[in-house]
Amino acid sequence: MQPDQEDPPRVRPGPLRWIAYALGTGLPERHRTWVLYDTTTRTWVWRHVTRTLVQLTVPIALVLLLVPGAFWIRAMAALGGLILGMAFSLAYMTEVAENRVKKAGYAPGSAQAVRDQATREREVLDSERRRAAAAKRATRYRDRRAR
């Protein structure tokens, strides 16, 4: 898609489709803008962690239910797998986000570009807010000095 073209409205997938998305399948075209939003919103890291936990649910459940032995041993193995899985997931989260965006039909690097732009806009707003607060404090200080 060209940058000058309008994207359709954002349509969130239903629960079953979201679970499939969390497990790695692509979404239909109508969810395209939601995928970009999902991988670039302010909470994109927490969304990634949630998707990873959904992915790890199946192997952890299998370990807890099917591996013979004492429950505490199975629980520790599951915990070790969870920690290792989360470590790898967090190490590669930007690449995974870019792959999801690429699957949705965006150019590689689109998610990072959107996140970078949002960061710049947030920094400008924070800077303006800090300047306004400093000006207010300066005015208050001058008013006290004038008394």
Side-chain angles (χ1 to χ4, degrees):
M1 175 175 255
Q2 299 301 323
D4 57 346
Q5 291 178 332
E6 289 285 326
D7 276 337
R10 191 168 57 221
V11 178
R12 189 183 198 304
L16 293 178
R17 191 154 288 184
W18 182 87
I19 290 171
Y21 167 74
L23 293 174
T25 63
L27 289 174
E29 179 70 22
R30 70 179 180 271
H31 300 294
R32 181 175 193 273
T33 55
W34 181 83
V35 171
L36 184 64
Y37 172 79
D38 184 52
T39 56
T40 60
T41 187
R42 191 174 46 86
T43 58
W44 77 277
V45 171
W46 295 111
R47 290 168 178 256
H48 175 80
V49 168
T50 302
R51 286 190 303 270
T52 300
L53 290 173
V54 168
Q55 291 172 358
L56 292 174
T57 299
V58 174
I60 287 173
L62 290 175
V63 166
L64 289 174
L65 296 174
L66 300 179
V67 173
F71 181 77
W72 73 271
I73 294 174
R74 292 180 286 165
M76 293 306 290
L79 179 63
L82 177 68
I83 292 169
L84 189 61
M86 287 304 296
F88 275 100
S89 175
L90 293 174
Y92 293 103
M93 79 179 149
T94 55
E95 290 84 356
V96 170
E98 288 299 333
N99 188 44
R100 287 183 184 277
V101 168
K102 194 169 77 171
K103 267 188 199 177
Y106 289 95
S110 297
Q112 189 63 48
V114 170
R115 284 193 300 270
D116 290 344
Q117 179 63 31
T119 299
R120 284 190 294 275
E121 290 171 2
R122 250 191 327 273
E123 286 172 355
V124 166
L125 290 173
D126 285 347
S127 177
E128 290 171 358
R129 182 186 52 78
R130 284 192 300 270
R131 266 193 224 111
K136 186 177 177 182
R137 283 191 305 274
T139 303
R140 200 176 322 135
Y141 178 74
R142 271 189 244 118
D143 290 346
R144 275 193 224 149
R145 298 275 311 216
R147 291 185 204 168

